[in-house]
Amino acid sequence: MAQQTEQFKDLGLDSRLLTALAHQGLDTPTDIQDQAIPVILSGHDLIASSKTGSGKTLAFLLPVLHRLMKSKALSKRDPRALILAPTRELAKQVYEQLRSLTSGTSYNIALLLGGENFNDQIKLLRRQPQLIVATPGRLANHLNERSLMLNGLELLVMDEADRMLDLGFAKELNQINDAADHRHRQTLMFSATLDHAEVNEMAERLLKAPKRIAVGAANAEHADIEKRFYLCDHLDHKQALLAHILATQPYQQAIIFTATRPDTERLATLLKGEGLSTAALSGDMSQAERNRIMDSFSRGQFKILITTDVASRGLDLLQVSLVVNFDMPKQAEEYVHRIGRTGRAGAKGVAMSLVGPNDWDAFKRVERFLQQDITFVSFDGLEGKFKGVRPVEPAKAKAAARGNGYQGKGGPNAYQPPKKKKPVKAFKDRSDRLAPGTGLGSFDGMAPLKRKKPTDETDS
C-alpha cells in the first residue's frame, strides 16, 4: 500500500486549487483522495468505492478541474466535463462544492435538474458551460431535444453509480455514453461498493481498462456512530418509541427515514402537533420546494427532517447528531448511507432503528451485510411482545418445499404435521335394506331435487 500523502500540495495540483482548498481549511487529503487523484491525473479510467463521508467528491472534482486548467479544450462549444448524480439533492451539493472551487476563475458551470424549468436550462446551455452537474434523466432529456451535445466531452463522472442503477437510470447512462463516445474521453465511476453486479457490467461497457480502488469496505464499522436497534410490535408502538426518543435523547438535529411519502407527511403532522420543529421531504415534491426545505434544514431553521431515501446519500449536514430508521430500508447498503448522515467530520452521532414484524426481513439483510450479530435494546415501559422471527429449521423447510404442511411457526401459519389418512373401508351392499324401487344403481322412484327459491338473505 502506498504511503499516505501528507498534504494536497504533494499531489501536484494546480496552485489555484490549492488556494481554494486553503480557504476551506483543507490541507490533508483523505484516503480516497490520496489514492484516486494520482490515478485520475495520469489519465486512467477509474472505478472506485469508499464509505460514506470519506470525501470522494473532492477526489474527483480536484483532478477534473486540474485537467481542465492544464489542457486545451477539445471543443469550444461542448462541455468539457459532465458529473452525474442520482438525486437532485446530491447533484446540488456537488455543484455547490464545484462552485466554491471555481470561485475567482472564468469557468462557466451549470446545474441541470429534473423538476426545474426546461427552457431556462436551455438558455443556460447557450452560454456554453465548460462543466455541467446533472441528474441523468434531465441530461438525457436535453440530449433528446438536441439542446446539448457531448461530442467534445473530455471527462464523464458518475457519482453514486450504484444508486443511479438502482433507480433505473441504466438506459439514460448508456444514452449519455453513446453521445460522448470518443477515444479522448476519460470516465470515472464512483460507487458505494464494487460488489454490485450492474455496476461491474456498466463499467465493462463504459470504461476503458479502468484502475480499481476500494477504500474501506461498504460495511465497515463507523467509529463515530453508535448504533441501537429496538423491537416494535406495530405502528402505534413505533410511534410511541419515536416520541420517547425525541423527548429523551439529546440531539442538535435529527433525520427520520421512512419507507413511503405518505409516512413522511403523517409523521411530520404528528410531530408538529407535539410542538416539534419538523419538515417532510420526499421525491415527488417540486425541486423548488425540495431546495427550500433542505436549505432551511441546513441553516438550522427546524430540528427534525422526515424523509424517504431521497436524502440518504451524499448530503453533508454537520449538525445532524441523530438518525432514526422508522422503517428499515429495503436495500442493506442503504442502511449505511442513511446512518452516514450523522457522525460526520469527526463528530459523534447516534443511529436508532425500529424493527417491527414487517421490517424483519430487511433487518436480517442489514445484519448479514454488516456481518454482525445485532443485539436489541429497549426502553423501560416500552418493551414489546415481538421478539423476532425464528428461522425455519432445515427439515421443516424441506417439508414446506414438498408442500407437506409446513407453513411457518406461530399463529395461523403454525406447523401442522401431515395428517394420516384413514383407511377406506370396504363398501357393503345394503341395497336389500332400501325400500322397493330405490335400490342402488336405479333411479326408480327417485323424485328430482327441487331448487329452493332465492330469499332476501340468499344470493339470486
Side-chain angles (χ1 to χ4, degrees), residues 81 102 116 247 263 286 373 429 447:
T102 56
E116 294 192 343
D263 288 336
S286 69
D373 291 326
D429 187 355

Side-chain angles (χ1 to χ4, degrees), residues 221-351:
E221 185 77 13
H222 197 312
D224 293 325
I225 301 176
E226 179 185 353
K227 298 188 289 291
R228 304 178 199 166
F229 292 81
Y230 301 84
L231 286 169
C232 311
D233 291 337
H234 41 63
L235 179 60
D236 289 342
H237 191 196
K238 272 190 177 185
Q239 292 180 172
L241 283 170
L242 178 62
H244 183 78
I245 289 169
L246 297 176
T248 61
Q249 301 299 307
Y251 63 92
Q252 293 175 284
Q253 286 184 303
I255 298 181
I256 300 169
F257 286 100
T258 67
T260 65
R261 175 189 57 79
D263 288 336
T264 66
E265 296 174 349
R266 181 180 55 80
L267 284 179
T269 300
L270 188 68
L271 296 183
K272 287 177 183 177
E274 297 295 323
L276 298 174
S277 175
T278 308
L281 179 74
S282 60
D284 63 344
M285 290 180 170
S286 69
Q287 187 58 46
E289 183 69 5
R290 287 163 67 171
N291 290 345
R292 184 189 65 78
I293 291 173
M294 289 306 303
D295 289 343
S296 297
F297 187 62
S298 64
R299 292 197 299 268
Q301 293 183 2
F302 51 89
K303 291 193 66 174
I304 301 170
L305 177 68
I306 305 179
T307 181
T308 56
D309 284 333
V310 71
S312 67
R313 298 210 182 196
L315 301 181
D316 201 10
L317 302 165
L318 299 181
Q319 301 304 312
V320 175
S321 57
L322 173 65
V323 168
V324 179
N325 289 305
F326 188 83
D327 300 306
M328 293 297 289
K330 293 181 180 179
Q331 302 294 330
E333 296 88 344
E334 210 61 38
Y335 169 81
V336 176
H337 291 287
R338 283 183 176 188
I339 70 170
R341 297 315 97 212
T342 187
R344 302 182 75 85
K348 300 294 182 181
V350 177

